[in-house]
């Protein structure tokens, strides 16, 4: 097939309503030529012309040794339950921050400090995190916190970005499966908005399983970002999916994909339109302040009823099983992706006041455009130049479209609002452009997180990696410049400029992260910076030691079989990079202690005999000699 034939075939397919990806997948014709090509006005660029077009963009992603990336990227770890820190545009992995998982390198989920943060939910060994978001001040990233959800166990966690450690975790009460999560943008991140996805009976105590009952529902959850405590909850109709907030602090909005209240696949797809629920945060705050709320059994969290007809909410019908909801960086629009419709719905935010005061009676009047983009729209991101970029799951493409022109087309003008379609590999879910969630959206880079990788990488057996792709959007055309395999569905990411993230080089000795350990040492009359002692309290033994490369302050201590042993280590090194570890062999004990940090871990000495402990983080030329022994007397 000649290049001319390929071009003509592509145009014919477009006219027939078929995607080029579907055609190529079925025929495997011209795949080598077209892989990664762009569709511009129905034409397909040749491999040679495309290679020439992207060469400059590919050069931009090369970060020389010793040079730094322009952006931090924070990826949700998906089923791993962690957050991954990447450099962009190099796409180099810098760090993994354990959150809902157990991590033997750092001891997260094992140390006393981490288990205290996790609270009762430390019993869960899994997590399913989806949506990482950075705290804001005046609509711009302030680099203070990153928040992440756990759908599997209905939790929200907060990561301090100065130390890149989780410092707070909350289990959201009375609901199941926190999915969509976004933050209040202005005047600062006072609230974390979190959608609970699944409808459950209330109380959920086995006395009622009827999901059609008026006491069966899910809720929109609002969390105090500083206290990491519940602020209030809002009862809604239907299931909630994704959420975002406006740039006034007044409104948040969530998609609902199950207006049918069905429990089966067919039932959930029956209606041609579901809805976007808009929450009037000011009204809800006022009601809570005035005591106009209820509470649910076993919880003291204020709950207001936001079902249809409520003063607190408005329900805007949109097609069909909507998924992503994203606020444009100019603050003008909520854009909801149709998922089972080829459209996205553009909701004009300044019309919401009229919806709530009654001067605008038809909720659909707030929809100012519904452009048809392609098959399976899921999420939209922005370049700050008036363009949206929407993932098309079924077409395996990302489409660039102009918002203002889509509104003009909705009003009857003949205008081509679609600027470009780019094949991505394959089945994209989330997409995220640099600074896109803020008013500073700079239109430099776009990451698309594709669910399937198929033939993109070396085969790894039946379980394939997924594929993150980096796209240059700084010019008029999107240019795909990088593929990167990822594991266990990282789901979503967020990009911030490197100057917006300010990290510590070593720990502050007064850091609240290990304050409870310091308090315990004070009760034991221990100076953590100098004492190496063993405190015996019946069958509870507390071992305090310092570490400075290449030795522990204690190289031997004695306990009895069955003793509960708490080992507390303080790293006295003051040089960045000189982290120590403490591993007790054959006891499931492992933790990291970075410079000036104090860490502790508790375990049972259940095996008599000699048990060596060692430093697990390479810290010195004599690192292998940094060891000690626990001598366990038989019971």
């Amino acid at each position: 097939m000649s290049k001319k034939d390929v071009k003509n075939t592509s145009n014919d397919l477009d006219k027939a309503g078929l995607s080029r990806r579907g055609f190529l997948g079925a025929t495997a014709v011209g795949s080598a030529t077209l892989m990664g090509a762009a569709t511009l006005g129905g034409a397909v660029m040749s491999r040679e012309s495309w290679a020439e077009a992207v060469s400059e963009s590919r050069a931009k992603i090369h970060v020389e040794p010793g040079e730094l990336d322009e952006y931090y990227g924070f990826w949700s770890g998906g089923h791993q339950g962690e957050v991954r820190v990447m450099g962009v545009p190099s796409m180099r992995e810098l760090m993994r921050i354990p959150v809902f998982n157990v991590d033997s390198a750092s001891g997260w989920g094992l140390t006393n400090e981490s288990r205290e943060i996790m609270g009762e939910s430390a019993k869960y060994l899994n997590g399913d995190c989806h949506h990482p978001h950075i705290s804001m001040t005046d609509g711009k990233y302030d680099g203070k916190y990153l928040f992440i959800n756990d759908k599997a166990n209905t939790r929200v966690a907060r990561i301090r970005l100065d130390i890149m450690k989780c410092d707070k975790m909350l289990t959201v009460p009375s609901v199941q499966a926190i999915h969509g999560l976004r933050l209040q943008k202005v005047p600062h991140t006072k609230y974390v908005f979190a959608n609970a996805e699944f409808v459950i009976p209330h109380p959920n105590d086995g006395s009622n399983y009827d999901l059609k009952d008026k006491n069966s529902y899910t809720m929109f959850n609002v969390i105090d970002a500083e206290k990491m405590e519940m602020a209030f909850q809002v009862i809604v109709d239907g299931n909630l999916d994704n959420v975002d907030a406006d740039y006034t602090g007044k409104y948040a909005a969530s998609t609902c994909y199950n207006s049918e209240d069905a429990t089966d696949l067919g039932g959930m797809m029956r209606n041609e339109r579901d809805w976007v629920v808009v929450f009037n945060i000011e009204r809800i705050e006022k009601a809570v302040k005035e005591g106009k709320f209820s509470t649910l059994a076993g919880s003291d969290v204020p709950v207001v009823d936001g079902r249809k007809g409520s003063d607190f909410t408005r329900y805007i019908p949109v097609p069909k099983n909507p998924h992503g909801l994203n606020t444009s960086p100019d603050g003008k629009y909520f854009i909801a992706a149709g998922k089972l419709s080829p459209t996205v719905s553009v909701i004009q935010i300044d019309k919401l006041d009229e919806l709530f005061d009654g001067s605008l009676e038809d909720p659909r009047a707030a929809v100012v455009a519904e452009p048809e983009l392609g098959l399976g729209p899921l999420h939209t991101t922005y370049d700050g130049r008036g363009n949206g970029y929407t993932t098309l799951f079924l077409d395996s493409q990302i489409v660039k479209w102009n918002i203002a022109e889509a509104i003009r087309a909705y009003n009857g003008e003949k205008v081509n609002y679609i600027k470009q379609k780019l094949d991505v590999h394959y089945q994209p879910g989330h997409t995220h452009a640099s600074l896109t969630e803020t008013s500073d959206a700079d239109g430099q880079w776009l990451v698309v997180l594709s669910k399937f990788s198929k033939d993109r990488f070396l085969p790894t057996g039946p379980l394939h990696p997924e594929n993150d792709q980096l796209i240059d959007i700084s010019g008029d055309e999107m240019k795909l410049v990088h593929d990167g395999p990822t594991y266990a569905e990282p789901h979503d990411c967020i990009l911030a400029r490197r100057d917006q993230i300010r990290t510590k080089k070593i720990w502050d000795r007064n850091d609240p992260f290990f304050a409870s350990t310091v308090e315990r040492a004070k009760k034991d009359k221990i100076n953590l910076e100098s004492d190496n002692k063993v405190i015996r309290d019946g069958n509870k033994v507390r071992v305090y030691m310092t570490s400075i490369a290449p030795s522990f302050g204690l190289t031997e201590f004695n306990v009895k079989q069955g003793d509960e042993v708490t080992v507390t280590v303080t790293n006295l090194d003051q040089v960045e990079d000189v982290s120590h570890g403490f591993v007790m062999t054959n006891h499931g004990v492992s933790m990291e202690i970075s410079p000036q940090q104090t860490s502790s871990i508790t375990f049972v000495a259940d095996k008599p005999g000699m048990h060596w402990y060692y430093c697990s983080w390479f810290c010195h030329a004599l690192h292998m000699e940094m060891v000690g022994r626990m001598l366990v007397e038989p019971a």
Side-chain angles (χ1 to χ4, degrees):
M1 182 180 286
S2 69
K3 293 175 185 174
K4 181 178 179 181
D5 290 334
V6 170
K7 178 176 177 179
N8 291 338
T9 301
S10 179
N11 287 332
D12 292 339
L13 288 166
D14 288 344
K15 291 174 184 176
L18 300 173
S19 73
R20 189 171 79 262
R21 170 62 57 210
F23 169 73
L24 291 176
T27 64
V29 175
S31 60
T33 301
L34 294 172
M35 190 67 71
T39 305
L40 290 163
V44 179
M45 301 176 71
S46 71
R47 183 182 182 89
E48 292 78 10
S49 61
W50 184 247
E52 183 179 348
V54 301
S55 60
E56 183 179 344
S57 294
R58 285 177 176 159
K60 288 168 61 177
I61 71 171
H62 180 67
V63 179
E64 294 286 346
E67 296 297 319
L68 302 179
D69 281 287
E70 301 170 49
Y71 299 89
Y72 279 95
F74 297 93
W75 264 246
S76 61
H79 322 312
Q80 290 278 87
E82 63 193 7
V83 169
R84 297 169 188 168
V85 187
M86 306 280 283
V88 176
S90 75
M91 301 298 282
R92 298 181 296 205
E93 184 175 295
L94 306 174
M95 182 63 67
R96 295 191 178 190
I97 305 172
V99 184
F100 304 114
N101 56 325
V102 174
D103 177 59
S104 63
S106 64
W108 185 263
L110 303 174
T111 65
N112 297 323
E113 293 77 23
S114 63
R115 292 181 67 83
E116 181 181 7
I117 289 165
M118 298 175 86
E120 185 183 350
S121 74
K123 65 187 178 184
Y124 299 126
L125 302 181
N126 71 311
D128 183 14
C129 53
H130 284 216
H131 302 116
H133 296 288
I134 298 171
S135 58
M136 302 185 200
T137 299
D138 297 327
K140 306 176 193 303
Y141 298 138
D142 59 25
K144 189 173 183 181
Y145 299 123
L146 182 137
F147 297 86
I148 185 81
N149 68 302
D150 172 22
K151 181 175 177 178
N153 299 302
T154 317
R155 294 177 288 184
V156 173
R158 186 179 77 184
I159 293 169
R160 274 178 50 191
L161 290 177
D162 62 338
I163 56 174
M164 297 214 180
K165 301 276 190 186
C166 175
D167 79 323
K168 296 283 185 181
M169 192 175 293
L170 172 69
T171 299
V172 181
S174 309
V175 294
Q176 288 181 12
I178 294 299
H179 181 220
L181 180 142
R182 285 295 174 96
L183 311 179
Q184 194 170 38
K185 302 174 189 286
V186 294
H188 64 278
T189 298
K190 177 181 179 181
Y191 292 134
V192 178
F193 301 122
N195 287 344
E197 186 173 348
F198 299 134
V199 172
I200 59 173
H202 295 273
N204 191 19
D205 58 4
S207 61
N208 177 25
Y209 297 110
D210 182 5
L211 293 179
K212 297 292 185 181
D213 186 271
K214 68 176 182 178
N215 290 319
S216 292
Y217 48 79
T218 191
M219 293 190 285
F220 175 71
N221 306 280
V222 180
I223 299 164
D224 185 308
E226 283 295 333
K227 296 179 181 178
M228 278 297 284
E229 298 173 354
M230 293 302 303
F232 50 83
Q233 297 174 296
V234 184
I235 300 170
V236 297
D237 286 315
N239 294 52
L240 293 178
D241 199 346
N242 281 281
V243 60
D244 209 344
D246 72 352
Y247 280 87
T248 70
K250 188 172 184 178
Y251 295 115
S254 299
T255 49
C256 164
Y257 68 85
N258 184 20
S259 59
E260 302 89 346
D261 289 327
T263 57
D264 63 294
L265 179 62
M268 292 180 185
M269 297 188 294
R270 187 173 59 249
N271 291 345
E272 286 304 310
R273 284 180 179 166
D274 294 278
W275 52 62
V276 168
V277 189
V278 180
F279 301 90
N280 191 316
I281 303 302
E282 288 183 351
R283 285 192 184 180
I284 299 168
E285 284 183 313
K286 184 173 183 291
V288 170
K289 187 176 181 179
E290 294 174 353
K292 298 176 181 177
F293 62 84
S294 60
T295 58
L296 299 177
S299 172
D300 59 359
V301 179
V303 175
V304 300
D305 195 333
R307 287 174 283 200
K308 283 187 176 181
S310 166
D311 287 338
F312 305 124
T313 56
R314 293 294 182 268
Y315 288 70
I316 301 174
V318 298
K320 176 181 183 185
N321 292 64
H323 185 59
L325 188 136
N326 305 91
T327 307
S328 60
D330 58 11
K332 292 182 179 179
Y333 308 108
F334 290 136
I335 296 181
K339 192 169 75 175
L340 298 187
S341 166
T343 60
V344 298
S345 299
V346 181
I347 296 169
Q348 189 167 317
I349 292 173
D350 66 10
K351 289 181 178 288
L352 298 180
D353 284 345
E354 299 172 66
L355 263 186
F356 276 92
D357 68 21
S359 58
L360 194 65
E361 293 185 4
D362 180 7
R364 282 283 299 174
V367 177
V368 295
E370 220 150 54
E372 187 170 315
L373 301 180
L375 299 182
L378 290 185
H379 296 278
T380 301
T381 192
Y382 309 95
D383 61 11
R385 300 188 294 270
N387 300 307
Y389 298 75
T390 300
T391 50
L392 303 176
F393 182 83
L394 296 179
D395 282 341
S396 286
Q397 292 179 322
I398 188 157
V399 53
K400 176 182 178 180
W401 57 284
N402 185 269
I403 300 169
E405 292 179 2
I407 293 172
R408 286 166 51 198
Y410 193 69
N411 291 326
E413 291 188 44
K414 290 187 177 180
V415 56
N416 183 14
Y417 48 79
I418 293 180
K419 302 304 173 185
Q420 184 187 1
K421 287 187 175 182
L422 181 71
D423 286 352
V424 294
H425 312 286
Y426 302 86
Q427 277 67 55
H430 275 276
T431 183
H432 193 95
S434 47
L435 309 187
T436 187
E437 290 184 7
T438 74
S439 56
D440 284 339
D442 63 7
Q444 294 299 305
W445 298 105
L446 179 146
V447 176
V448 59
L449 294 91
S450 295
K451 299 302 182 186
F452 302 158
S453 65
K454 296 179 182 173
D455 52 1
R456 302 297 285 181
F457 308 110
L458 287 172
T460 56
L463 180 62
H464 291 201
E466 296 185 11
N467 186 14
D468 291 345
Q469 296 186 294
L470 183 68
I471 297 169
D472 182 356
I473 60 170
S474 60
D476 290 335
E477 299 175 10
M478 295 182 283
K479 297 171 184 176
L480 175 61
V481 295
H482 179 81
D483 273 6
T486 57
Y487 174 61
E489 206 203 20
H491 205 86
D492 196 7
C493 69
I494 190 168
L495 307 183
R497 286 195 320 269
R498 71 185 187 204
D499 63 283
Q500 294 174 316
I501 309 298
R502 297 168 294 279
T503 61
K504 295 179 181 292
K505 292 187 175 181
I506 64 173
W507 283 86
D508 180 347
R509 285 295 306 144
N510 296 314
D511 198 291
F513 187 84
F514 44 83
S516 60
T517 305
V518 172
E519 284 302 309
R520 185 175 66 243
K522 285 181 180 178
K523 291 179 181 178
D524 283 337
K525 298 181 180 179
I526 292 291
N527 185 330
L528 289 171
E529 288 80 24
S530 61
D531 289 344
N532 293 278
K533 294 182 178 179
V534 178
I535 306 292
R536 302 183 187 279
D537 182 11
N539 69 340
K540 296 183 186 299
V541 180
R542 294 185 289 280
V543 180
Y544 292 94
M545 68 177 77
T546 58
S547 66
I548 187 165
S551 64
F552 292 110
L554 277 179
T555 57
E556 192 170 281
F557 64 89
N558 296 74
V559 299
K560 295 180 180 180
Q561 184 181 6
D563 281 352
E564 179 187 275
V565 181
T566 298
V567 174
T568 301
V569 182
T570 298
N571 184 346
L572 299 181
D573 283 298
Q574 299 187 47
V575 179
E576 56 183 305
D577 272 351
V578 186
S579 294
H580 297 305
F582 178 87
V583 173
M584 180 68 70
T585 55
N586 298 340
H587 281 76
V589 169
S590 179
M591 64 178 175
E592 158 229 346
I593 318 101
S594 286
Q596 295 297 300
Q597 183 181 5
T598 294
S599 296
S600 67
I601 192 163
T602 299
F603 59 96
V604 175
D606 56 355
K607 305 176 184 70
M610 178 185 292
H611 303 276
W612 286 80
Y613 53 89
Y614 64 91
C615 175
S616 54
W617 287 80
F618 205 100
C619 60
H620 191 274
L622 296 175
H623 164 73
M624 296 296 292
E625 287 79 3
M626 190 169 172
V627 295
R629 295 157 302 283
M630 176 178 70
L631 307 180
V632 182
E633 178 185 337

